[in-house]
Amino acid sequence: MAETVRMTTLLEHGMALAGERNDLRRRLENTHKRLQDPSVRVIVVGEFKQGKSQLINALVNAPVCPVDDDIATTVPTVVRHGDPASAVVLVPAATAGGSDSATGDEPGAEPRVDRQPVDLAALADFVSEKGNPGNTRNILAAEVGLPRKLLSGGLCIVDSPGVGGLGSSHTLTTLTALPSAHAMLFVSDASQEYTEPEMRFLRQAMRVSPNVACVLSKTDLYPAWRQIAELDKGHLADVGPDIPLLPVSSELRLQAARLQDTELNNESGFPALISYLRNSIVGEAALLQRRSVGNDLASVTGNLTLALRSELAALENPEDTPQMIAGLTAAKEDADALRKKSARWQTTLNDGIGDLIADMEYDLKDRLRRIQREAEIAIDQGDPGPAWEQFAKWLEQSVAAAVSDTFVWTSERAQWLAGQVAEHFSEDETGLPALHVADTGGVLDPVAEIQSMEDGRMGPVQKILIGMRGSYGGVLMFGLLTGLFGLALINPLSVGAGLMLGRKAYREEQEARLKRRQSEAKILVRKQIDDVVFQVGKQLKDRLRLVQRATRDHFTDIAEEHHRSLTESVAAAQKAAATYAAERELRIREIKNQLKAVDSLNAVARQLQEEGVAAPQAVPASSTVPAG
């Protein structure tokens, strides 16, 4: 809190020094707004029934997230500091108020929501599959406030939905939340080592948010958890270096809280997890905040210093003023070129976005075509009818994984493009805009589920009718033939021939039905893939257009700030050249005083930047049990 007050004071001092420079004031005001939200978001993710909700309950020693064998989380639940304890659910404003006005927001704008207070004890009725099946209440999220010391530093813990598992379209929802989170806790229980869907998700998550820690839950239930931990560490080494793995037991933690047993709390493994959250997550977030404030203050003071020093040099050395004005005018012309639509950075951005859209479309189609080819091979190798439900689930998982990979790849390319644009600017360490290409929650919602298909099984009556239809001709033909030798129409030979031909007709009918089912299955797969390409491609294009606008606006503001600083520097130098001697001495003193204040603030900004890259001071985890 004291650090936040200190940085707020520095920002207010910087806004006062900015004076009439509204562009610089606006920049510091945005920084001030970010500073007022000290939240450090940690999202807890994992497969279905891995102990995510119980882990959060044990961390805060309160049953805030519903836990039971037949209960699954369907709505994200955010747990943050609050006194007294409370709970609210967030719903779309149009849904709550019965108005359609909320649908008219600009693309990319934050959706308007209503906050509805609910009883904390009844929260499960809103956020669980049992109380809110399929999220029929249309709840966006739930927020819980608790008076806990662990949360007092701004830590917010997010319980993510686990319905459907990591191999389903819910992967996209989880990946959507990662760019806005400071860290991710990946939870997997000690019953088995990491599965392939878990490893695939971890690789994707590491590319979106590299600040990842893994939690091995339910160690109290599985005596062989140490062997599982060693196997998991080997898998994590293949994903990335130095990913921590923290074995914990939520049940032991809760039992320790009830008994006030410090030794049992240590055995639960939670002190190490809390130490990680305090030092590596909250501590790093504080450093990042200091570095961000320092960067903005340094940029603003640099712009202010340019105009002040130019005017001071013109006042103290009038004979050098023409040369200085000529140099500033040339620099101003260069800055003016950066503001034009024909500027090279604008060309780099426009060409890069065009290339990125084309590459994104190719990448998405290529991934989905590979899935389609694999699906058609599987269909040709067997009967898709009886296993259609399992096949549809595999197709959904494969498509979701392919779309996730495309989102992550596109996000990386967008960040790379922003870096290419930044190279056109001469400012040192030009900041990059915050780009969230992966903010595509519900991207597969417009895509309907793949249609169902008959299993192809024939009933006894159907089989008899097919056999009789095929055997009728055989009985009649061989009956007439044997009638030439004095035998009856129906005799052993005609019956045997009828049975043979009936069996042949039955087999041919089976083969024909199989071919029809295979053809129908391929058509359904192709329609599903085409629908995904159409819907996902459109939404990704929209996101990339937002990226283009955000990048353009970000660097346009930088160019405007630099241009205005040079313009005011030229004007100040020209004004100083015409200043009389008496006024010149007074103005020199004023400028020196202003420069002293600006340089002092700049020195503090540089100190904040240095503090922002220093290692955070470790805060030892308390071995005491949590208070109720």
Side-chain angles (χ1 to χ4, degrees):
M1 181 62 70
E3 184 67 16
T4 302
V5 172
R6 174 198 173 204
M7 288 188 287
T8 299
T9 303
L10 292 173
L11 289 172
E12 292 173 350
H13 184 42
M15 286 186 278
L17 290 175
E20 297 180 358
R21 288 294 302 271
N22 294 329
D23 53 337
L24 300 181
R25 286 181 58 86
R26 187 165 53 249
R27 181 169 183 172
L28 292 181
E29 286 171 356
N30 292 333
T31 307
H32 186 269
K33 290 179 182 178
R34 293 199 307 269
L35 192 62
Q36 300 312 305
D37 181 15
S39 300
V40 180
R41 289 168 56 88
V42 176
I43 183 169
V44 182
V45 304
E47 282 278 15
F48 179 60
K49 288 300 176 186
Q50 295 296 305
K52 302 186 300 296
S53 299
Q54 187 75 320
L55 176 76
I56 296 175
N57 292 344
L59 272 172
V60 299
N61 188 30
V64 293
C65 300
V67 177
D68 208 338
D69 291 338
D70 61 344
I71 290 181
T73 305
T74 59
V75 175
T77 304
V78 182
V79 183
R80 54 165 46 100
H81 187 267
D83 193 5
S86 61
V88 297
V89 293
L90 278 61
V91 297
T95 301
S99 170
D100 295 333
S101 60
T103 61
D105 293 334
E106 292 295 326
E110 289 293 327
R112 287 178 284 177
V113 298
D114 281 344
R115 301 170 62 88
Q116 299 180 353
V118 297
D119 185 5
L120 186 57
L123 187 63
D125 295 336
F126 297 88
V127 303
S128 69
E129 180 68 20
K130 183 178 181 180
N132 183 19
N135 194 16
T136 54
R137 298 175 184 243
N138 198 21
I139 296 173
L140 300 176
E143 292 185 2
V144 177
L146 289 176
R148 295 292 184 269
K149 183 179 179 181
L150 176 64
L151 307 175
S152 60
L155 180 64
C156 295
I157 307 174
V158 184
D159 185 17
S160 64
V163 178
L166 295 176
S168 71
S169 58
H170 290 274
T171 304
L172 299 177
T173 304
T174 304
L175 286 174
T176 295
L178 283 182
S180 62
H182 292 79
M184 181 187 85
L185 291 181
F186 185 78
V187 181
S188 180
D189 66 30
S191 62
Q192 62 178 0
E193 59 185 296
Y194 288 136
T195 61
E196 178 56 32
E198 288 177 322
M199 295 304 298
R200 187 193 312 123
F201 178 82
L202 265 176
R203 292 187 184 96
Q204 292 173 336
M206 286 290 293
R207 293 164 64 185
V208 177
S209 176
N211 203 359
V212 173
C214 295
V215 176
L216 187 67
S217 64
K218 304 181 182 180
T219 56
D220 56 305
L221 297 180
Y222 303 100
W225 66 266
R226 291 179 178 84
Q227 290 87 332
I228 299 298
E230 290 302 318
L231 292 173
D232 286 347
K233 288 178 181 178
H235 294 311
L236 292 176
D238 296 334
V239 176
D242 303 325
I243 300 177
L245 179 66
L246 305 166
V248 300
S249 168
S250 300
E251 289 297 332
L252 290 182
R253 165 81 168 182
L254 293 171
Q255 183 71 7
R258 284 191 291 268
L259 301 177
Q260 291 295 297
D261 190 330
T262 302
E263 184 177 352
L264 191 61
N265 184 56
N266 292 334
E267 188 178 347
S268 71
F270 271 79
L273 175 59
I274 293 173
S275 176
Y276 171 80
L277 291 174
R278 285 177 175 169
N279 299 330
S280 300
I281 305 303
V282 178
E284 287 289 344
L287 291 180
L288 181 62
Q289 190 177 63
R290 282 200 291 270
R291 186 162 64 245
S292 175
V293 172
N295 289 340
D296 287 336
L297 283 174
S299 176
V300 168
T301 54
N303 280 284
L304 294 174
T305 300
L306 178 62
L308 292 172
R309 291 197 182 281
S310 299
E311 184 179 359
L312 180 62
L315 290 170
E316 292 182 333
N317 304 291
E319 66 278 2
D320 297 332
T321 300
Q323 294 88 339
M324 181 182 63
I325 292 177
L328 288 171
T329 302
K332 175 178 170 293
E333 291 174 354
D334 292 339
D336 191 50
L338 287 175
R339 302 164 63 222
K340 296 180 180 178
K341 292 184 178 180
S342 59
R344 286 185 299 167
W345 72 269
Q346 293 267 22
T347 303
T348 299
L349 175 61
N350 295 333
D351 291 347
I353 286 293
D355 292 342
L356 183 52
I357 290 177
D359 291 344
M360 175 273 298
E361 288 182 328
Y362 174 82
D363 181 79
L364 178 63
K365 291 179 180 179
D366 180 61
R367 294 180 192 275
L368 294 178
R369 281 179 178 173
R370 287 201 297 266
I371 294 174
Q372 180 178 328
R373 286 194 294 268
E374 188 177 349
E376 291 179 348
I377 291 174
I379 290 171
D380 288 335
Q381 290 177 346
D383 186 354
W388 185 248
E389 185 176 346
Q390 292 82 358
F391 178 85
K393 184 177 180 180
W394 168 84
L395 183 64
E396 179 194 3
Q397 293 174 350
S398 301
V399 168
V403 172
S404 300
D405 287 335
T406 298
F407 282 176
V408 173
W409 177 82
T410 306
S411 178
E412 292 174 340
R413 280 288 304 272
Q415 293 289 351
W416 173 84
L417 177 59
Q420 293 295 109
V421 174
E423 292 181 359
H424 289 284
F425 291 80
S426 59
E427 294 186 21
D428 295 335
E429 299 181 0
T430 300
L432 298 181
L435 304 177
H436 299 319
V437 181
D439 287 351
T440 48
V443 68
L444 288 178
D445 288 351
V447 180
E449 292 184 1
I450 191 169
Q451 298 178 20
S452 59
M453 192 174 65
E454 295 181 358
D455 58 13
R457 294 188 177 94
M458 291 186 291
V461 176
Q462 224 174 352
K463 293 178 181 179
I464 293 173
L465 290 175
I466 293 172
M468 290 179 64
R469 188 171 63 246
S471 63
Y472 174 77
V475 171
L476 183 61
M477 181 176 62
F478 277 86
L480 292 174
L481 183 63
T482 55
L484 298 175
F485 299 97
L487 297 176
L489 182 64
I490 298 177
N491 58 72
L493 289 177
S494 64
V495 171
L499 290 174
M500 290 178 59
L501 291 177
R503 185 178 181 184
K504 181 175 181 295
Y506 175 70
R507 288 180 176 176
E508 289 176 348
E509 180 67 19
Q510 275 191 318
E511 291 178 359
R513 287 176 175 242
L514 174 61
K515 293 295 183 184
R516 286 198 299 270
R517 284 195 299 275
Q518 289 175 335
S519 177
E520 181 186 355
K522 290 180 181 179
I523 292 174
L524 292 177
V525 169
R526 290 168 190 163
K527 287 176 60 179
Q528 188 74 5
I529 295 296
D530 289 343
D531 197 13
V532 171
V533 170
F534 175 75
Q535 297 289 353
V536 176
K538 173 64 169 64
Q539 294 205 36
L540 265 178
K541 284 181 182 178
D542 292 343
R543 267 58 181 187
L544 289 177
R545 291 302 181 192
L546 293 177
V547 165
Q548 183 179 19
R549 296 184 192 118
T551 306
R552 180 197 61 205
D553 294 344
H554 175 79
F555 288 105
T556 298
D557 289 342
I558 291 178
E560 290 287 351
E561 286 180 6
H562 192 49
H563 178 268
R564 182 167 178 180
S565 296
L566 288 169
T567 300
E568 293 197 356
S569 298
V570 172
Q574 291 172 339
K575 180 181 178 181
T579 303
Y580 293 106
E583 297 176 352
R584 182 180 295 122
E585 292 299 328
L586 179 61
R587 181 59 181 157
I588 287 176
R589 286 196 298 270
E590 292 177 354
I591 293 175
K592 285 184 176 180
N593 289 333
Q594 291 178 7
L595 273 175
K596 184 177 179 181
V598 171
D599 289 343
S600 176
L601 184 59
N602 182 266
V604 176
R606 298 298 180 188
Q607 182 182 356
L608 285 175
Q609 289 177 313
E610 294 174 359
E611 292 175 359
V613 297
Q617 183 178 1
V619 179
S622 174
S623 60
T624 58
V625 295

